[in-house]
Amino acid sequence: MSFSASTFSGVKFHFEYVPLKLKNYTKLFTWSERKDWKMLDIGSGPGQLLLEVLSILPSNYKEIVCVDKELDMVNHLNTVNKDSRISCRQLNIETEALPADLKGRFDFAFSSNCLMYLQNYRQVFSNVHEMLKPKGELFFIWGKICPIHEIYHKLSRSDKWSIYLEDFVDWKSYFNNESSVDLLERICKSANLNILKVEELNDLVIEYDDLQSHMDIFDSLDHISGRIPESDLSEYKKDYHKLAMTYLTVEKIDNKQKKVKLHFPSVVLAARKS
Ligand SMILES: C[S@@+](CC[C@H](N)C(=O)[O-])C[C@H]1O[C@@H](n2cnc3c(N)ncnc32)[C@H](O)[C@@H]1O
């Protein structure tokens, strides 16, 4: 079971801050000096976010290739109404066997909220370096924590769910307690990428008036529930939601109104191939 494209396509919590950040970063990039501009979108998902940022990108782009590990996402994106210069294909960005036709192909690599699901950053950044043209650039934005995988890690330690979650026993969010800036400086250096700007968004909060909106997002991102037998699914969901609740804070504004918040510290990185 993978991320569900149909449920995730309704998730819009990042439709404001991701395009806003990209817009603020455009002055760092040399888009206008480059001919036949080609972009790679890593972990595109159902593609809605890409469509949101499209107006910020050079309108005369030559191609945008969207890649995602999950076939469900690729198939979904194939059905979305979009410019004929946008194509999509399946690719695990952590692969050790990068397809030859992707090497040295792109002027720009973009990724929104994908890297927090990954563990092997050295491989990812080395792959991105290989796929970029000389002096190619990147803009990545993603969470410093991965609540979904942290929940799986916790469930993997329970008697009931451990057999379904063996691959999460050793999971830990990449940044853990280390400074994300220091870590990214080291990773980029070893991948021959020069950092243009790195920024921590430690105060980023996803806020709704109700709990259900948050739970809908947690449900849409629950990509292992297909492993759970039907007869145990409601009990699994109860435990999953209970752990999801530990990431939320409920603030009462007055007696009637409330705000439900998820603290989602994130990081933004812009870099150029040396
Ligand atoms: C939370 S979604 C983000 C989708 C989209 N970029 C956005 O911001 O709306 C994360 C996506 O990353 C994909 N993903 C996770 N691990 C991946 C990997 N190793 N290689 C490529 N894509 C991956 C997932 O399948 C999922 O579609």
Side-chain angles (χ1 to χ4, degrees), residues 33-50:
E33 298 160 27
R34 304 178 72 92
K35 276 213 179 106
D36 295 335
W37 192 86
K38 295 181 180 180
M39 182 179 108
L40 174 72
D41 179 16
I42 301 164
S44 314
Q48 267 79 0
L49 191 273
L50 172 67

Side-chain angles (χ1 to χ4, degrees), residues 8-74:
F8 188 72
S9 58
V11 173
K12 297 180 175 173
F13 70 86
H14 50 328
F15 279 19
E16 266 184 40
Y17 74 84
V18 174
L20 201 68
K21 274 289 157 197
L22 179 62
K23 218 178 209 164
N24 290 343
Y25 274 57
T26 50
K27 54 187 174 301
L28 298 172
F29 304 126
T30 55
W31 295 350
S32 58
E33 298 160 27
R34 304 178 72 92
K35 276 213 179 106
D36 295 335
W37 192 86
K38 295 181 180 180
M39 182 179 108
L40 174 72
D41 179 16
I42 301 164
S44 314
Q48 267 79 0
L49 191 273
L50 172 67
L51 300 180
E52 289 293 314
V53 300
L54 214 49
S55 63
I56 302 166
L57 305 174
S59 56
N60 61 344
Y61 65 88
K62 179 91 173 167
E63 71 165 350
I64 295 177
V65 177
C66 302
V67 294
D68 202 285
K69 184 179 162 184
E70 305 295 349
L71 198 56
D72 188 27
M73 292 296 186
V74 178

Side-chain angles (χ1 to χ4, degrees), residues 3 14 43-45 49 68-70 91-93 112-114 118:
F3 287 94
H14 50 328
S44 314
L49 191 273
D68 202 285
K69 184 179 162 184
E70 305 295 349
L91 179 80
N92 178 354
I93 195 63
S112 155
N113 284 323
C114 171
L118 311 178

